[in-house]
């Protein structure tokens, strides 16, 4: 059995998938397998991947029956993974040479369920930014949730390796064709099944900005629904712990106000979705006033009420 399985969802990736796979080939830890899930990509991604498959038995490629989105694709890869630990990589990103070795060694020494590292964000204009995570309150699930809710620890999947048993022996709620919130949705559920999660100081992932990424697109109704589901999962996991209640309220309030900030469609649709999922309580002006500083409260009001008007007017 390999030490690590890397799962890569692939869709419209012909411009960068070779770069991604080459970065894995160059790892100092060579005991790995790579599972590419072709999500019915309409370009030549599959041809490029098959060159690796033919030349290296560690590379495998499977194709979804139809376009299902990255979350579904990752779950399909998880079913077939054989590594002691499972990691994820997006097709337009790369791994520094020692990434797998650093994470695997830390996992073995600590017997952690999850090992997380830091990332470097490469902007299209050539600039870079370090994306750091910390776990200042402990390595147990409640402490990790606290760090997540305070945005001190990233819920991104690609800068982590996770014990295969954690991913294969528990059921996870997923949603098809989600392009927003899928990492949040998955990782909050993963944490709920863990005993120990650690953060290492090393930079183990290169996040490379892609102009055609979904993060550059306007929110669709499907995006709104998936982001709402992500907040429901956030509520259902963290809400079991009384000591996290205030942090949870603040985090969901911020997230929902940001939906209004970036949504250019009908407010009636968004409000209806929030009511149907019992989330309007997180937008109570009275409660938000008491939970936030006056400066943060005013910023949230602008997101909630001013930006929707600006978006509808196309300004």
């Amino acid at each position: 059995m390999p030490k690590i399985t890397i799962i890569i969802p692939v869709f419209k990736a012909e411009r960068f998938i070779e770069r991604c796979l080459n970065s894995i080939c160059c790892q100092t830890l060579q005991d790995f397998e790579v599972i590419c899930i072709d999500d019915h990509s309409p370009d030549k991604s599959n041809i490029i991947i098959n060159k690796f498959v033919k030349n290296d038995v560690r590379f495998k490629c499977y194709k979804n029956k139809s376009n299902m989105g990255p979350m579904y694709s990752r779950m399909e890869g998880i079913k077939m993974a054989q590594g002691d630990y499972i990691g994820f990589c997006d097709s337009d990103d790369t791994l520094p040479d020692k990434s797998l070795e650093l994470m695997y060694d830390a996992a073995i020494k600590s017997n952690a369920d999850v090992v997380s590292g830091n990332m470097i964000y490469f902007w299209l204009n050539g600039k870079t930014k370090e994306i750091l995570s910390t776990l200042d309150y402990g390595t147990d699930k409640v402490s990790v949730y606290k760090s997540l809710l305070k945005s001190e620890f990233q819920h991104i999947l690609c800068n982590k390796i996770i014990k295969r048993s954690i991913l294969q022996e528990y059921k996870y709620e997923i949603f098809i064709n989600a392009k927003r919130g899928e990492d949040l949705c998955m990782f909050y559920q993963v944490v709920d099944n863990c005993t120990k999660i650690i953060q290492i100081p090393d930079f183990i992932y290169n996040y490379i900005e892609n102009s055609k990424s979904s993060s550059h697109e306007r929110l669709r109704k499907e995006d709104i629904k998936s982001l709402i589901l992500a907040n429901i999962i956030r509520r259902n996991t963290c809400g079991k712990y009384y000591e996290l209640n205030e942090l949870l309220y603040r985090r969901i309030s911020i997230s929902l106000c940001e939906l209004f900030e970036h949504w250019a469609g009908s407010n009636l649709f968004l409000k209806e979705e929030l009511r149907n999922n019992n989330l309007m309580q997180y937008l109570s002006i009275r409660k938000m006033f008491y939970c936030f500083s006056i400066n943060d409260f005013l910023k949230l009001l602008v997101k909630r009420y001013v930006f929707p008007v600006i978006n509808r007017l196309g300004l």
Side-chain angles (χ1 to χ4, degrees):
M1 298 293 184
K3 292 178 178 177
I4 297 181
T5 297
I6 301 296
I7 298 170
I8 308 174
V10 179
F11 185 73
K12 294 183 179 180
E14 66 178 2
R15 293 189 297 119
F16 26 70
I17 185 63
E18 185 172 8
R19 178 186 66 192
C20 174
L21 297 180
N22 279 332
S23 78
I24 299 174
C25 286
C26 293
Q27 291 297 301
T28 53
L29 187 155
Q30 286 285 300
D31 188 6
F32 61 77
E33 70 170 347
V34 176
I35 297 177
C36 295
I37 305 296
D38 180 358
D39 196 20
H40 257 253
S41 186
D43 59 9
K44 297 178 181 179
S45 297
N46 189 264
I47 295 173
I48 298 169
I49 295 167
N50 280 329
K51 291 179 182 178
F52 286 83
V53 173
K54 290 177 181 178
N55 295 323
D56 192 330
V57 295
R58 297 173 299 177
F59 287 80
K60 304 174 178 66
C61 185
Y62 303 93
K63 188 170 185 175
N64 290 336
K65 294 180 180 180
S66 60
N67 180 252
M68 304 294 282
M71 193 173 191
Y72 178 91
S73 297
R74 288 177 183 141
M75 291 305 300
E76 289 298 293
I78 287 168
K79 293 176 185 176
M80 296 175 278
Q82 298 182 31
D84 298 330
Y85 282 80
I86 296 174
F88 304 93
C89 188
D90 288 343
S91 59
D92 49 353
D93 297 333
T94 62
L95 301 182
D97 291 352
K98 296 186 71 175
S99 294
L100 300 186
E101 179 184 355
L102 289 167
M103 288 194 290
Y104 185 79
D105 286 352
I108 296 304
K109 290 176 182 177
S110 64
N111 192 31
D113 298 313
V114 177
V115 176
S116 173
N118 293 316
M119 305 188 300
I120 299 178
Y121 195 112
F122 291 81
W123 300 94
L124 290 173
N125 61 12
K127 294 183 179 180
T128 62
K129 178 183 178 181
E130 294 181 350
I131 301 177
L132 306 176
S133 286
T134 59
L135 288 173
D136 291 337
Y137 314 107
T139 60
D140 60 287
K141 69 175 71 176
V142 177
S143 298
V144 173
Y145 279 138
K146 183 176 181 180
S147 295
L148 284 166
L149 292 172
K150 296 184 76 172
S151 297
E152 296 171 358
F153 185 65
Q154 304 291 328
H155 59 249
I156 298 167
L157 292 175
C158 290
N159 65 331
K160 299 171 176 63
I161 60 171
I162 304 168
K163 271 185 181 177
R164 175 163 55 92
S165 58
I166 295 292
L167 292 171
Q168 290 185 344
E169 295 177 8
Y170 295 90
K171 291 184 178 181
Y172 293 92
E173 185 173 359
I174 68 170
F175 40 99
I176 295 172
N177 285 323
K179 292 185 178 181
R180 309 282 184 130
E182 70 274 12
D183 280 16
L184 188 158
C185 177
M186 185 69 184
F187 190 63
Y188 271 72
Q189 294 179 83
V190 167
V191 172
D192 208 31
N193 297 322
C194 290
T195 302
K196 185 177 185 180
I197 296 172
I198 67 168
Q199 171 73 23
I200 61 175
D202 308 276
F203 290 91
I204 54 79
Y205 194 80
N206 297 325
Y207 188 104
I208 302 173
E209 188 179 21
N210 173 13
S211 60
K212 295 185 178 180
S213 168
S214 61
S215 61
H216 291 275
E217 300 173 355
R218 279 189 175 273
L219 290 179
R220 308 165 302 159
K221 286 188 176 181
E222 293 82 2
D223 297 328
I224 293 293
K225 291 179 179 180
S226 63
L227 287 167
I228 286 175
L229 178 57
N231 275 293
I232 291 170
I233 288 175
R234 182 184 260 154
R235 179 187 66 191
N236 292 346
T237 51
C238 298
K240 294 183 287 187
Y241 307 102
Y242 175 79
E243 60 268 44
L244 298 177
N245 280 353
E246 184 174 344
L247 281 174
L248 178 61
Y249 184 90
R250 287 166 57 88
R251 176 48 49 198
I252 294 180
S253 293
I254 292 170
S255 178
L256 298 185
C257 285
E258 288 173 346
L259 288 186
F260 281 94
E261 178 185 8
H262 297 291
W263 171 242
S266 168
N267 272 2
L268 293 177
F269 164 77
L270 184 47
K271 289 178 181 178
E272 183 178 1
E273 289 294 318
L274 295 175
R275 287 194 190 96
N276 291 342
N277 291 285
N278 196 28
L279 289 172
M280 285 299 291
Q281 60 181 305
Y282 295 96
L283 293 172
S284 164
I285 293 179
R286 179 185 294 271
K287 190 164 184 179
M288 288 169 64
F289 178 79
Y290 288 109
C291 285
F292 292 93
S293 68
I294 187 63
N295 188 46
D296 288 341
F297 172 68
L298 292 175
K299 288 180 179 178
L300 290 175
L301 289 186
V302 171
K303 293 176 185 286
R304 169 69 178 83
Y305 293 104
V306 177
F307 274 101
V309 176
I310 293 173
N311 290 336
R312 287 196 297 274
L313 293 175
L315 301 178

